[in-house]
Amino acid sequence: MTSSDLSPAARFAASKNRVRTPQLQSFRSRLGFALDPFQEAACASVEEGSSVLVAAPTGAGKTLVAEFAIHLAMQHPRDKVFYTAPMKALSNQKFQELVAEYGASEVGLLTGDTNVNSRARIVVMTTEVLRNMIYAGSEMLDDLRYVVLDEVHFLADRFRGAVWEEVIIHLPLDVRLISLSATVSNAEEFGDWLQTVRGGTDVIVSEDRPVPLDQHVLVGGKFLDLFDSSGQAATNRVNPELLRATSLSRRGGGSRRERGGRDGFSGRGPRGHVVPPTQHAQGRLDRWKIVEMLDDQNLLPAIFFVFSRVGCDQAVKQVLRSGIRLTTADQRQEIREIVEARCRTLRDEDLAVLGYWQWLDGLERGVAAHHAGLLPAFKEVVEELFQKKLVKVVFATETLALGINMPARTVVLEKLEKFNGEARVPITPGEYTQLTGRAGRRGIDVEGHSLIQWQQGLDPQAVASLASRRTYPMNSSFRPTYNMAVNLIEQFGRSRTREVLETSFAQFQADRAVVDLARKVRTQQESLDGYARSMQCHLGDFGEYTTIRRELGDLEKQGAARADAQSRAEHDKRQRHLADLRRRLRQHPCHACPEREQHARWSERWWKLKKQTDQLSAQIRGRTGAVAKVFDRVTDVLLDRGYLEPASPRSSTSGAAAPGSSRRGGDRTAEVAVTSTGRTLRRIYGDRDLLVAESLRLGLWDALDVPSMAAMAATLVYEPRRDEGQLSERFLPRGAYREALDETQKLWAELDDLEQEHRLPGSNPPAPGLALAMHRWARGADLDSVLEDAELAAGDFVRWTKQTIDLLDQLSVVADLPVGPIARRALDAVRRGIVSYSAV
């Protein structure tokens, strides 16, 4: 449509927009495609000086709003923009995209273990790096104009979510936030909080998928729509044909004609394609048959979500065993060239250990796995080849759904449940939305497809409910930590810190919940008053009568339950009490009331509702100031251990107070000061921040050599599998490490007792499961033997080693002699081979 086709009113509105947002008009002109309404609205808000929260489905184009903020910053010679992402893989991917757009000189990368051009005007980083920068008062924050918080719904993550809130609360208020989120059901609530803590924030929500999603169920060998597409039914009504087919499969058959002939179901898939028959109508198709089916119907590339690393690897092997090949000779040559270029730094002797040749064979045939156990280099190659449509089928765990740019034409869900670490649980509607969000490539596909494999016990109605709901609430996981406390107290003082923490999203949600609870209490109180009127008795106080009656009933039940365990004296005492209660009950005026039992029924309702109301009132008391209460407990522990001390004229120059010198239970409004050991704690980040600081203060690690220091750092970051039992000493490094481990474990137990005393949750004990492998790796052992010691996949070993490096880096900066220099040498010793590889 040209401007001449518009009405005069529309032309006038367009002219006003061009005047109001000239940078947006310039940015749009170079894109070559029209913006969606939500993109237009968000970019206009940013140009007008507002922060924005953009909540939209996966693949809808949210990052374009971030790119516009970068465009605005680059119009001014000094303005800077930080782009944060929750995972290093996302950071690496965005870094490469921005380098291609703006050039290597303008773009930097900071991910904890990677530092590239950190003084650039556009810096991509993990959210933790930005948080640490804020607490350190880094000069890199100077001239910062915009911060992009990509995947901000990670704020709900119970392990790392608090970092997002810390950043949002403590960033300078003149910095504009571009918050990008998946579709969440409480975006407005989160936006209200952003408006409260940061001022002008516009909330832009879009629920429209850029590529429509067709949802199917594979029953036997037949593609069936999940929802009725006849146009004559209500929205989200289950396809009647699907109900019939699953009913037949549950019964094991039906007539030969109903089963689709001698060989089973033979139906039509999307766009009328005939699906080849399978051998058993009620059975599940082999994976390679599904791949062939999708290939025949032009529904590749596809992502199969398996929810298990082992399952992903086994699926690749099963498909390859079938002899399947999805690539041409030219594509195979291109794949080999890309793989060799990306993996050239890997040592030849490591290739066999990493399963390189089998992995390459799968890639050349168009099939790969993608999960956290893979070497990061391998994952990056899979992502690149999938984006280039060279790899056609990927078997992945759900981590692939978290923002990595790997859209597919089809997503296959083999199961609708997963193991959450404790039990197999159904996936949530939010998880379903995230997973199927990968289906449909914008600008390539006219629709995306999701395919659920039906199996016995799967209810089509339940599947339809899962697929039609969009409930994905974002709930705060924020809680004060020791490191956070000393940083904020040093910066703001105790009283101001309590006020700051009460501005957290956690407290915001708790306060809102209190409003709802209070409303419910008021409603229930009205019902209680009504019940009280209904149980009134003209002969006397029926409430008093009911109290005696309930006490008598409770005592009789207790006596029956404990009869065998009571002494003769206890039995006699209980009998006397029962006799007294029965006498009082008979003598009470209400006992003679002819409507006694009718009053009693109203009384029971009153007691039951009163109990519920009292519980709600207790919740209200517990939630009011909940975050500040945890902060007070954290502060008490820090006072106890000498990281804080009561403020005094000499507090700014005094050293550490003696442990146990705090005034427990004292005035929690009294100001405190950070001691010298507290200033060390300020620069230690992680779940065991206090344990690390205490170990340094007490000199527990002073005798460690380089390999032992690496092993100790691994012990503090490693999280063992649930089935990993206690290690015997023969599986621990010899020498100084064992003594240091004993002392560190004793210290952990002491701190855990102190935390329990202060009603804090505590932390898990140090886990030495990776210590021997890390000790040997730091001594130069080969990869094969180290992975065998660790009993870990290469990707897991690299991940834990990079976390070990991060802690060693902190120790090298904050620790005095002899630990600091040893930690630096340990860092260098473990950052080698596959650990040092980076595609950046």
Side-chain angles (χ1 to χ4, degrees):
M1 180 182 289
T2 64
S3 60
S4 60
D5 297 324
L6 299 173
S7 67
R11 288 201 299 272
F12 177 72
S15 174
K16 281 188 68 176
N17 284 338
R18 285 194 293 273
V19 172
R20 185 167 57 92
T21 56
Q23 288 296 338
L24 176 55
Q25 310 314 315
S26 169
F27 178 72
R28 181 183 4 206
S29 65
R30 77 181 199 190
L31 290 176
F33 57 84
L35 298 181
D36 289 342
F38 86 89
Q39 294 170 324
E40 183 104 22
C43 290
S45 292
V46 174
E47 183 166 356
E48 291 170 351
S50 295
S51 294
V52 292
L53 167 64
V54 183
T58 300
K62 297 185 291 288
T63 55
L64 185 138
V65 182
E67 290 163 11
F68 178 63
I70 295 171
H71 166 81
L72 287 179
M74 298 306 283
Q75 306 309 304
H76 301 273
R78 297 179 61 86
D79 284 357
K80 294 192 296 190
V81 57
F82 289 169
Y83 194 112
T84 76
M87 296 185 295
K88 293 176 183 178
L90 292 178
S91 298
N92 292 341
Q93 193 173 73
K94 181 52 64 175
F95 170 76
Q96 291 161 350
E97 292 172 6
L98 291 171
V99 166
E101 175 74 18
Y102 291 99
S105 64
E106 296 286 7
V107 186
L109 177 68
L110 288 171
T111 61
D113 55 13
T114 303
N115 185 330
V116 178
N117 196 21
S118 60
R119 298 285 174 176
R121 292 179 59 200
I122 307 168
V123 185
V124 182
M125 61 186 67
T126 54
T127 319
E128 282 85 354
V129 169
L130 178 54
R131 185 273 311 272
N132 299 352
M133 235 186 248
I134 293 170
Y135 282 164
S138 171
E139 62 180 22
M140 290 176 64
L141 297 171
D142 295 344
D143 300 316
L144 181 60
R145 178 81 176 275
Y146 299 103
V147 166
V148 178
L149 295 176
D150 201 356
E151 308 284 338
V152 74
H153 52 272
F154 257 77
L155 180 144
D157 184 86
R158 68 190 182 99
F159 297 109
R160 300 172 55 213
V163 176
W164 274 259
E165 289 191 50
E166 291 176 73
V167 166
I168 292 167
I169 293 170
H170 301 305
L171 262 179
L173 289 178
D174 60 344
V175 176
R176 300 289 88 189
L177 284 185
I178 316 298
S179 303
L180 309 178
S181 170
T183 305
V184 293
S185 54
N186 61 335
E188 289 77 10
E189 178 189 42
F190 184 56
D192 288 347
W193 175 67
L194 289 172
Q195 174 74 32
T196 300
V197 295
R198 301 205 57 82
T201 301
D202 293 332
V203 179
I204 292 94
V205 177
S206 173
E207 305 222 8
D208 296 328
R209 280 181 54 101
V211 180
L213 179 68
D214 286 351
Q215 304 187 75
H216 317 281
V217 179
L218 181 64
V219 184
K222 193 172 184 180
F223 252 114
L224 294 171
D225 289 339
L226 173 59
F227 297 112
D228 188 340
S229 57
S230 65
Q232 301 174 357
T235 305
N236 296 336
R237 176 192 171 198
V238 178
N239 180 7
E241 187 180 0
L242 172 62
L243 293 173
R244 287 194 296 272
T246 54
S247 176
L248 279 172
S249 282
R250 279 194 292 269
R251 294 200 302 267
S255 71
R256 181 178 297 175
R257 181 179 299 276
E258 287 173 317
R259 293 197 302 269
R262 181 174 56 193
D263 295 321
F265 282 119
S266 180
R268 295 189 175 271
R271 302 189 301 281
H273 291 280
V274 176
V275 178
T278 186
Q279 293 177 347
H280 302 288
Q282 65 271 30
R284 290 164 64 88
L285 280 180
D286 290 336
R287 289 181 174 114
W288 67 268
K289 290 183 180 179
I290 300 176
V291 171
E292 279 194 339
M293 178 196 309
L294 296 175
D295 189 28
D296 290 343
Q297 297 179 41
N298 195 28
L299 291 178
L300 297 181
I303 299 171
F304 286 64
F305 284 109
V306 181
F307 302 135
S308 157
R309 299 180 189 182
V310 173
C312 291
D313 294 334
Q314 289 175 344
V316 171
K317 291 176 183 176
Q318 290 167 7
V319 171
L320 294 181
R321 274 199 300 268
S322 73
I324 207 164
R325 189 180 296 280
L326 304 170
T327 54
T328 65
D330 288 343
Q331 289 174 330
R332 290 193 288 276
Q333 178 62 30
E334 186 177 356
I335 288 169
R336 182 174 286 272
E337 289 173 358
I338 291 172
V339 171
E340 289 177 351
R342 300 292 181 268
C343 299
R344 64 183 182 277
T345 58
L346 295 177
R347 302 192 317 173
D348 290 343
E349 55 267 38
D350 291 341
L351 296 181
V353 179
L354 297 170
Y356 173 84
W357 303 110
Q358 298 92 324
W359 173 69
L360 177 59
D361 176 52
L363 294 178
E364 290 185 342
R365 291 161 63 180
V367 182
H370 188 289
H371 56 72
L374 282 178
L375 188 69
F378 285 11
K379 281 197 296 183
E380 291 161 9
V381 169
V382 171
E383 292 160 14
E384 180 179 353
L385 294 178
F386 194 81
Q387 290 165 20
K388 292 184 175 182
K389 294 180 279 191
L390 296 171
V391 164
K392 310 300 176 69
V393 173
V394 169
F395 293 93
T397 55
E398 70 268 32
T399 54
L400 188 146
L402 300 174
I404 298 173
N405 184 24
M406 281 182 64
R409 178 164 293 175
T410 304
V411 162
V412 180
L413 299 178
E414 295 194 346
K415 293 182 179 179
L416 295 179
E417 62 177 20
K418 65 177 186 176
F419 186 69
N420 67 357
E422 297 178 355
R424 299 206 68 83
V425 296
I427 64 173
T428 65
E431 288 168 334
Y432 181 89
T433 302
Q434 284 280 92
L435 297 170
T436 56
R438 290 283 152 209
R441 298 163 299 174
R442 188 168 189 168
I444 301 174
D445 299 322
V446 294
E447 77 268 325
H449 296 271
S450 69
L451 179 63
I452 298 166
Q453 278 192 272
W454 186 83
Q455 58 183 332
Q456 292 289 348
L458 197 61
D459 178 10
Q461 297 284 2
V463 175
S465 174
L466 178 73
S468 60
R469 290 167 60 203
R470 291 294 178 266
T471 53
Y472 187 57
M474 181 160 52
N475 295 314
S476 173
S477 59
F478 181 86
R479 67 175 182 84
T481 65
Y482 299 112
N483 169 274
M484 185 194 303
V486 291
N487 271 292
L488 295 181
I489 289 171
E490 179 86 344
Q491 191 171 358
F492 299 118
R494 185 184 199 173
S495 297
R496 172 70 179 130
T497 294
R498 290 180 99 257
E499 294 173 10
V500 167
L501 293 177
E502 287 180 334
T503 67
S504 67
F505 188 44
Q507 190 60 54
F508 185 82
Q509 288 191 307
D511 289 343
R512 285 207 165 185
V514 164
V515 172
D516 293 336
L517 289 172
R519 187 182 299 115
K520 191 170 182 179
V521 166
R522 285 196 299 272
T523 301
Q524 292 188 178
Q525 188 59 54
E526 293 173 2
S527 298
L528 284 171
D529 293 343
Y531 293 166
R533 287 192 295 272
S534 297
M535 71 180 189
Q536 283 179 353
C537 178
H538 66 288
L539 296 177
D541 185 347
F542 201 86
E544 182 181 73
Y545 177 76
T546 301
T547 301
I548 299 171
R549 183 168 166 161
R550 290 178 65 86
E551 186 180 355
L552 177 61
D554 290 343
L555 193 61
E556 287 174 338
K557 290 176 185 176
Q558 292 172 8
R562 300 177 185 174
D564 296 337
Q566 286 182 331
S567 67
R568 181 58 182 265
E570 290 172 333
H571 176 77
D572 291 346
K573 180 179 180 181
R574 186 179 67 82
Q575 290 301 319
R576 287 194 298 273
H577 192 185
L578 284 170
D580 180 58
L581 288 172
R582 289 170 183 144
R583 178 186 56 77
R584 289 169 57 196
L585 191 70
R586 288 192 300 270
Q587 293 177 353
H588 197 283
C590 294
H591 192 67
C593 179
E595 298 178 343
R596 182 184 68 195
E597 293 309 310
Q598 183 178 345
H599 295 329
R601 285 194 291 272
W602 284 110
S603 172
E604 283 301 311
R605 294 178 187 177
W606 186 91
W607 278 102
K608 186 175 181 180
L609 189 60
K610 179 69 165 61
K611 183 178 180 181
Q612 294 176 0
T613 305
D614 289 345
Q615 289 172 343
L616 289 175
S617 298
Q619 286 183 47
I620 291 173
R621 291 192 299 273
R623 292 190 183 200
T624 305
V627 176
K629 288 176 183 175
V630 175
F631 167 71
D632 287 335
R633 295 167 190 164
V634 166
T635 302
D636 287 344
V637 170
L638 292 172
L639 282 163
D640 192 290
R641 302 302 291 192
Y643 290 84
L644 299 173
E645 62 183 2
S648 66
R650 61 182 182 83
S651 65
S652 61
T653 57
S654 66
S661 63
S662 73
R663 294 176 294 191
R664 295 187 192 180
D667 182 5
R668 284 178 165 171
T669 63
E671 281 302 333
V672 294
V674 178
T675 64
S676 59
T677 50
R679 283 186 279 277
T680 298
L681 178 58
R682 284 189 64 192
R683 295 179 291 171
I684 299 172
Y685 301 93
D687 290 341
R688 297 193 173 99
D689 46 7
L690 184 59
L691 178 61
V692 172
E694 279 287 82
S695 297
L696 293 178
R697 183 178 69 84
L698 298 171
L700 303 188
W701 304 338
D702 287 0
L704 295 179
D705 58 11
V706 167
S708 298
M709 184 65 71
M712 181 58 68
T715 299
L716 293 172
V717 301
Y718 180 59
E719 296 172 10
R721 298 183 295 270
R722 290 180 179 271
D723 58 351
E724 190 172 303
Q726 186 71 28
L727 290 176
S728 68
E729 284 205 356
R730 67 191 183 90
F731 293 109
L732 296 176
R734 298 182 182 278
Y737 170 83
R738 293 190 183 183
E739 183 178 346
L741 176 63
D742 287 343
E743 293 302 316
T744 304
Q745 288 174 327
K746 289 177 185 175
L747 174 61
W748 170 83
E750 182 182 334
L751 293 177
D752 191 59
D753 288 343
L754 182 61
E755 288 170 328
Q756 296 293 333
E757 180 184 338
H758 287 284
R759 291 179 294 157
L760 290 169
S763 63
N764 292 323
L770 191 58
L772 183 59
M774 193 62 64
H775 190 275
R776 298 192 64 223
W777 181 250
R779 289 171 55 198
D782 62 82
L783 178 64
D784 191 8
S785 63
V786 168
L787 291 182
E788 186 176 344
D789 280 344
E791 296 183 353
L792 288 175
D796 290 323
F797 178 71
V798 170
R799 178 164 56 91
W800 290 121
T801 304
K802 288 195 172 185
Q803 291 191 36
T804 300
I805 287 171
D806 184 52
L807 177 55
L808 290 170
D809 188 36
Q810 293 180 43
L811 294 176
S812 71
V813 174
V814 304
D816 296 326
L817 293 171
V819 172
I822 295 293
R824 172 54 57 184
R825 289 167 56 196
L827 185 159
D828 294 336
V830 298
R831 190 160 56 190
R832 64 179 182 87
I834 62 169
V835 176
S836 64
Y837 175 86
S838 174
V840 174

